Amino acid sequence: MITGCTDGKIMVRRCLVTFKPFRIFVVGIGFFSLCFLMTSLGGQFSMKRIGDSPFTIRTEVLGGMESRGVLRKISDMLEVILKRMDSLSKLDNTSTTDARRLDELSSAINRFQPAGLVEKIQAIAQNLSNMAIRMEQILQNSMVQGRAVRDGTSSQCEVPRDPRFSECPGKVDWMRARWTSDPCYAYYGVDGSDCSFLIYLSEVEWFCPPLAWRNQSSPPTQRPQQLPKPIKRQAAFRTNLSVLLDQVGTGKESLSFMKRRIRRLAQQWTTAANRLDVKLEQQWRDQKKILVHVGFLTEESGDVFSPKVLKGGPLGEMVQWADILTALHVLGHNLKISMSVKELQGFLGVPPGRGSCPLTGPLPFDLIYTDYHGLQQMKQHMGLSLKKHKCHIRVIDTFGTEPAYNHEEYATLHGYRTNWGYWNLNARQYMTMFPHTPDNSFMGFVSEELNETEKRSIQQNKVSNMAVVYGKEPSMWKVQLGKEGFLEILHRYMEVHGTVYYETQRPPEVPAFVKNHGLLPQHELQQLLRKAKLFIGFGFPYEGPAPLEAIANGCIFLQPKFNPPHSSLNHEFFRGKPTSREVFSQHPYAEQYIGRPHVMTVDFNNSLEFDSAIKEIMRTKVEPYLPYEYTCEGMLERVHAYIQHQDFCTPEPPFMAPNLTREGSTIGSRMIASLFVALPNSTALGWASNVSPPAAWPPLSSLRLLVSQEGQSCVEACQSAGFICEPAHFRFINNKEALRGLEVQCEVVDSEINHILPAFSVMRRECGLQREPLLFSCAGHSPKYRRLCPCRDFRHEQVALCRDCL
């Protein structure tokens, strides 16, 4: 804080302030002179804010060409001020000349005030004040260390050679060469001396042993396993959403869209919460501290979505995030929401600088929900802490990330490296919009649920020859791939409606027979869908929420079949996405999990097949239908189960089959019975009932072990048997007991790192077990191998959960 500004005497000092990397030199200005400068500028300076750093000048004030111009103007200004100060210091305060000279000084300063310059100078002055405080602290530390050297204790700062801290010498060498690369080191007291390096590496990071001569009243940063367990609090369902709406914030159309959605579905969330509360029978639910950082909506990521909200841009991601926020709030968790990097830094308590320094305390959250943009931002600002705390992260990932793309080293060596993925997370930490990738967790979203009265009204008012086209952007209507052909056929039988965004001066390029309503608000779109008989897709966008909304409003969804299927190997949209999944239609979930009569998938290039489909749709009556997993209750149930049961921070011990015992046998005796037994009327094996299962979620009662065909993934193998592949069960079947139970003939059993293992070759009688748990993959397949697949049962219309998972 600047003091002494009301003295009335002009006190001139000679001082030199040097601060790298800017090297700002201020000569001849005392505290009174600096205050005089600020008063002339009309500036008002506040006290130092908690958490501010003397280095914030680097990012908040200066940048690019603007910074050089600002510094040039400041330099000119200071030169004028110095000349005035030299003369003013010789004058008596009571002289009339003094007043005239002060007026001249004020006029000179005013000439150097372009727009915004005052604010920048104020910020610089604030930072100079902060720097002075920090430099004083560094000087005091240096004096203490100097006394230690004079007292003969300099040997205490020798780099220790402790085998328990083998990385310490290398880290000290790195600090000697690079400690100025990030201002956060100086923020923590590093000043270039070995003592400061060792203090930092032992008390902020943990690469070096604690120094015996240090005052240990403040304990060094604790490792995760040393942290005390937090006190558990019970979560209670919430039905008032006003607090959540305030937390979402304002200022962007994307946020307004999300808030409108939350308000519109508020009553349905309330009803769902009451139902689930009864279903769970008041069972204890841990209240979690949760941070939600929506990275793709931050200015730092470009926020390309917000400007497109009112222009027909994609809304699927915002629909999902709005529902995630609501589900977490309704479930009763302690929620913080971040929509900017500055908010993220504040919530996490990260040190100032470029992100090289770790958090100095425990992570203030149990869970962090973010996306790929947010994950990258966290990496930039958390330093080493990201690796330590990444088990708490859940990544909302629309299209999914397969294990082969997620494992950084494996992806790099085997050609799976893309711009996404490679984070070395447990694959279940990625959470998808649809349950298309069992390696990941299915998060989902919700669609509006109709009551019985609304359903009857819809069926009575359906217009059998009315079709609505799925496509809000004009680019989706461009004549290509034979669109004009099937649209002409559709027009023969039905009145075609569109909801294409357009500006008054530029109407969209759609066929003349299309009745375009323009971009409709959600409630008006619902009314249109409630009248229409058909909702037809053009093949894009993939896997959006609109088809489910149409089906829930009594429409039949007609979509194109892809032959060959679209994937990252042959289609630009999927190129670079961390998945090899093949998409056989525009909306695979609708095709596979809903199907006829609500969903029809045909070859749009076959005019006879398309014509026949339109005729069938016109004579088919369907009721509005919404799968339970896309209702508010279904999403609450699913998210509740994940939060209470998924734990990626507690290391999973290797599963050692021979250590298990039969019920009633002596503890520690070798197992006699097989782990797996044949199930009645099935080719799959189940967990033996006379063998005590280890603790697991999903529980091992859901396990169904079977073998794939050559070239078949476990996703396909499990689906063909009416099950779901469960990656959490891989560790229980990755052993010789599973091979023996399936009667696989193995002449050689190797342990390797490969995303198709465990698997075996029939021809060569070679069997392979997985050595890297992060590569357990439901999606992997090979034409040379048959895979051991851990499948599970699932709840009706809730494929994310097994029957015993609640």
Side-chain angles (χ1 to χ4, degrees):
M1 179 178 175
I2 300 172
T3 58
C5 293
T6 59
D7 193 327
K9 295 285 186 181
I10 297 179
M11 302 173 61
V12 180
R13 283 184 181 173
R14 296 287 175 178
C15 64
L16 172 65
V17 178
T18 306
F19 176 61
K20 295 180 181 179
F22 304 106
R23 296 179 181 172
I24 300 175
F25 297 93
V26 183
V27 183
I29 301 181
F31 277 124
F32 179 85
S33 306
L34 184 58
C35 290
F36 180 79
L37 166 62
M38 302 314 163
T39 304
S40 300
L41 292 173
Q44 299 296 322
F45 292 90
S46 62
M47 294 287 288
K48 183 178 187 292
R49 295 170 296 171
I50 296 175
D52 275 0
S53 161
F55 309 103
T56 53
I57 184 175
R58 184 181 186 90
T59 56
E60 294 180 5
V61 178
L62 302 179
M65 294 296 293
E66 182 187 12
S67 68
R68 291 195 288 274
V70 170
L71 288 176
R72 191 159 49 245
K73 291 180 177 67
I74 293 171
S75 177
D76 293 341
M77 183 191 305
L78 292 177
E79 184 178 351
V80 172
I81 292 170
L82 291 178
K83 292 178 180 178
R84 298 296 190 274
M85 288 300 167
D86 285 337
S87 58
L88 285 172
S89 62
K90 302 173 184 177
L91 299 174
D92 184 87
N93 272 352
T94 60
S95 70
T96 56
T97 309
D98 188 15
R100 182 175 57 80
R101 293 293 179 90
L102 290 176
D103 290 339
E104 290 179 4
L105 176 59
S106 179
S107 299
I109 291 172
N110 289 335
R111 288 198 297 272
F112 294 98
Q113 289 191 31
L117 182 57
V118 171
E119 289 77 10
K120 291 181 172 62
I121 294 174
Q122 291 173 345
I124 292 172
Q126 178 68 65
N127 286 321
L128 287 171
S129 174
N130 297 343
M131 279 188 277
I133 295 170
R134 189 65 194 142
M135 290 299 295
E136 184 70 19
Q137 293 172 350
I138 292 173
L139 288 172
Q140 289 176 357
N141 290 338
S142 298
M143 291 171 65
V144 171
Q145 292 172 12
R147 286 196 296 270
V149 172
R150 288 193 299 274
D151 293 342
T153 57
S154 61
S155 60
Q156 302 298 326
C157 292
E158 292 179 1
V159 180
R161 304 290 174 178
D162 189 330
R164 295 172 301 168
F165 297 88
S166 57
E167 295 183 75
C168 183
K171 292 294 181 180
V172 172
D173 289 339
W174 188 95
M175 292 289 287
R176 287 168 178 159
R178 300 290 304 278
W179 76 272
T180 58
S181 63
D182 193 322
C184 71
Y185 297 118
Y187 179 82
Y188 284 125
V190 175
D191 59 7
S193 67
D194 282 1
C195 283
S196 67
F197 298 154
L198 291 171
I199 292 169
Y200 174 84
L201 290 171
S202 62
E203 298 180 15
V204 179
E205 299 182 12
W206 47 86
F207 293 106
C208 295
L211 300 173
W213 56 270
R214 285 284 291 175
N215 180 0
Q216 297 299 325
S217 59
S218 297
T221 303
Q222 293 177 301
R223 299 184 187 222
Q225 62 267 29
Q226 297 173 322
L227 296 174
K229 291 186 177 180
I231 299 173
K232 290 186 177 181
R233 291 181 172 84
Q234 187 170 9
F237 285 101
R238 298 191 189 102
T239 54
N240 186 337
L241 302 183
S242 59
V243 173
L244 174 63
L245 291 167
D246 290 339
Q247 284 184 287
V248 171
T250 58
K252 293 183 178 181
E253 188 55 43
S254 54
L255 302 183
S256 299
F257 171 85
M258 292 166 67
K259 292 171 77 169
R260 287 194 297 270
R261 178 174 178 82
I262 293 170
R263 290 190 190 96
R264 191 172 66 252
L265 295 174
Q267 185 55 52
Q268 296 200 16
W269 285 110
T270 297
T271 304
N274 294 332
R275 287 177 184 168
L276 184 59
D277 196 17
V278 172
K279 182 185 293 186
L280 296 177
E281 300 177 343
Q282 304 296 317
Q283 67 176 250
W284 176 277
R285 296 184 301 112
D286 289 340
Q287 185 188 61
K288 305 289 186 179
K289 289 182 286 188
I290 299 176
L291 171 63
V292 178
H293 177 60
V294 190
F296 80 99
L297 289 182
T298 62
E299 296 298 333
E300 291 81 2
S301 71
D303 188 14
V304 298
F305 286 84
S306 294
K308 296 182 179 180
V309 170
L310 299 178
K311 297 183 178 181
L315 301 179
E317 288 84 354
M318 279 169 274
V319 164
Q320 187 180 32
W321 276 109
D323 295 347
I324 290 170
L325 289 169
T326 312
L328 296 174
H329 175 83
V330 169
L331 286 169
H333 297 291
N334 188 347
L335 198 61
K336 300 292 184 184
I337 303 173
S338 164
M339 299 284 184
S340 72
V341 170
K342 188 173 183 179
E343 288 177 318
L344 174 69
Q345 291 174 306
F347 284 135
L348 293 177
V350 300
R354 301 175 189 168
S356 300
C357 299
L359 305 180
T360 54
L363 189 72
F365 299 99
D366 300 302
L367 292 170
I368 300 175
Y369 288 84
T370 188
D371 51 30
Y372 267 126
H373 294 282
L375 194 57
Q376 185 64 42
Q377 291 163 357
M378 290 172 67
K379 178 182 178 181
Q380 292 171 353
H381 295 279
M382 288 180 67
L384 295 172
S385 304
L386 181 63
K387 183 176 181 180
K388 182 172 66 174
H389 296 305
K390 68 181 182 180
C391 62
H392 299 277
I393 296 173
R394 305 294 184 266
V395 182
I396 306 304
D397 174 15
T398 304
F399 294 96
T401 299
E402 294 176 10
Y405 295 82
N406 169 65
H407 191 286
E408 183 176 17
E409 182 179 357
Y410 187 83
T412 303
L413 292 175
H414 295 84
Y416 293 103
R417 181 69 181 253
T418 69
N419 291 333
W420 312 100
Y422 67 80
W423 288 93
N424 294 319
L425 302 177
N426 186 306
R428 285 170 285 157
Q429 290 177 253
Y430 299 102
M431 312 194 91
T432 58
M433 185 173 279
F434 291 95
H436 47 56
T437 306
D439 288 309
N440 306 148
S441 299
F442 162 45
M443 171 58 79
F445 57 93
V446 305
S447 288
E448 295 188 48
E449 191 174 5
L450 306 181
N451 58 39
E452 293 304 317
T453 301
E454 290 171 322
K455 289 179 181 179
R456 285 195 298 271
S457 174
I458 286 174
Q459 289 179 294
Q460 293 170 359
N461 295 299
K462 277 291 177 186
V463 179
S464 60
N465 66 338
M466 178 178 173
V468 175
V469 175
Y470 181 16
K472 298 175 296 183
E473 294 187 22
S475 60
M476 300 176 186
W477 290 73
K478 289 183 178 178
V479 177
Q480 54 182 325
L481 302 177
K483 283 183 183 177
E484 71 281 5
F486 67 75
L487 279 174
E488 287 291 346
I489 296 174
L490 179 63
H491 177 51
R492 283 186 221 154
Y493 299 99
M494 290 189 163
E495 186 179 272
V496 184
H497 293 250
T499 57
V500 187
Y501 167 79
Y502 68 94
E503 297 174 351
T504 305
Q505 64 274 25
R506 294 186 63 184
E509 297 178 6
V510 300
F513 56 77
V514 175
K515 184 178 180 180
N516 184 33
H517 299 261
L519 198 62
L520 294 177
Q522 186 64 25
H523 68 280
E524 292 184 27
L525 176 61
Q526 295 280 73
Q527 294 303 317
L528 186 65
L529 292 174
R530 291 182 181 190
K531 291 182 180 179
K533 183 65 177 289
L534 170 64
F535 189 65
I536 180 171
F538 281 171
F540 187 85
Y542 300 98
E543 301 177 306
L548 266 65
E549 294 174 352
I551 295 167
N553 282 288
C555 294
I556 294 175
F557 177 50
L558 178 64
Q559 64 171 344
K561 181 187 300 180
F562 299 150
N563 187 18
H566 294 179
S567 72
S568 58
L569 300 178
N570 64 6
H571 203 274
E572 187 61 34
F573 179 82
F574 290 102
R575 190 163 290 118
K577 291 183 170 57
T579 174
S580 299
R581 184 167 63 101
E582 294 183 324
V583 178
F584 290 85
S585 62
Q586 180 176 355
H587 207 291
Y589 174 86
E591 179 184 12
Q592 178 182 346
Y593 290 98
I594 300 178
R596 287 174 177 266
H598 302 279
V599 179
M600 296 180 64
T601 306
V602 301
D603 181 1
F604 279 24
N605 293 319
N606 186 325
S607 58
L608 292 177
E609 184 178 353
F610 186 85
D611 188 284
S612 176
I614 299 299
K615 292 176 180 176
E616 181 180 348
I617 289 169
M618 293 182 69
R619 63 175 180 265
T620 301
K621 291 185 177 181
V622 296
E623 294 183 1
Y625 172 68
L626 179 63
Y628 173 77
E629 56 200 354
Y630 283 97
T631 64
C632 292
E633 183 182 349
M635 184 168 184
L636 286 176
E637 180 182 270
R638 185 168 60 250
V639 176
H640 150 73
Y642 289 151
I643 290 176
Q644 300 303 318
H645 298 292
Q646 283 188 336
D647 180 6
F648 303 112
C649 294
T650 303
E652 292 182 337
F655 175 68
M656 304 298 291
N659 290 337
L660 290 180
T661 62
R662 292 187 302 164
E663 290 183 1
S665 63
T666 304
I667 299 298
S669 65
R670 186 171 179 81
M671 181 178 57
I672 301 173
S674 173
L675 287 179
F676 307 100
V677 296
L679 297 173
N681 304 318
S682 175
T683 58
L685 304 181
W687 188 266
S689 59
N690 63 340
V691 178
S692 299
W697 192 87
L700 285 172
S701 59
S702 66
L703 174 62
R704 303 293 183 264
L705 172 61
L706 52 78
V707 176
S708 76
Q709 300 299 318
E710 282 94 347
Q712 191 179 41
S713 71
C714 285
V715 176
E716 298 165 323
C718 293
Q719 284 179 350
S720 64
F723 302 122
I724 298 293
C725 182
E726 178 49 65
H729 286 339
F730 264 114
R731 69 189 185 101
F732 300 111
I733 69 163
N734 186 46
N735 50 57
K736 293 180 181 179
E737 291 295 328
L739 293 167
R740 189 178 299 118
L742 292 167
E743 300 181 351
V744 177
Q745 302 299 315
C746 304
E747 292 183 1
V748 178
V749 179
D750 288 328
S751 179
E752 301 176 16
I753 296 178
N754 193 305
H755 72 287
I756 66 165
L757 301 179
F760 64 92
S761 169
V762 176
M763 295 292 294
R764 294 193 294 269
R765 293 194 173 190
E766 293 177 353
C767 300
L769 300 178
Q770 181 61 258
R771 203 164 71 210
E772 173 50 79
L774 289 183
L775 286 174
F776 282 136
S777 172
C778 290
H781 59 88
S782 169
K784 299 179 181 178
Y785 287 89
R786 300 183 67 182
R787 302 198 58 204
L788 274 64
C789 297
C791 309
R792 64 162 169 81
D793 58 30
F794 57 92
R795 299 170 70 87
H796 178 62
E797 294 189 350
Q798 183 71 292
V799 296
L801 303 179
C802 68
R803 291 171 188 162
D804 299 329
C805 275
L806 281 182

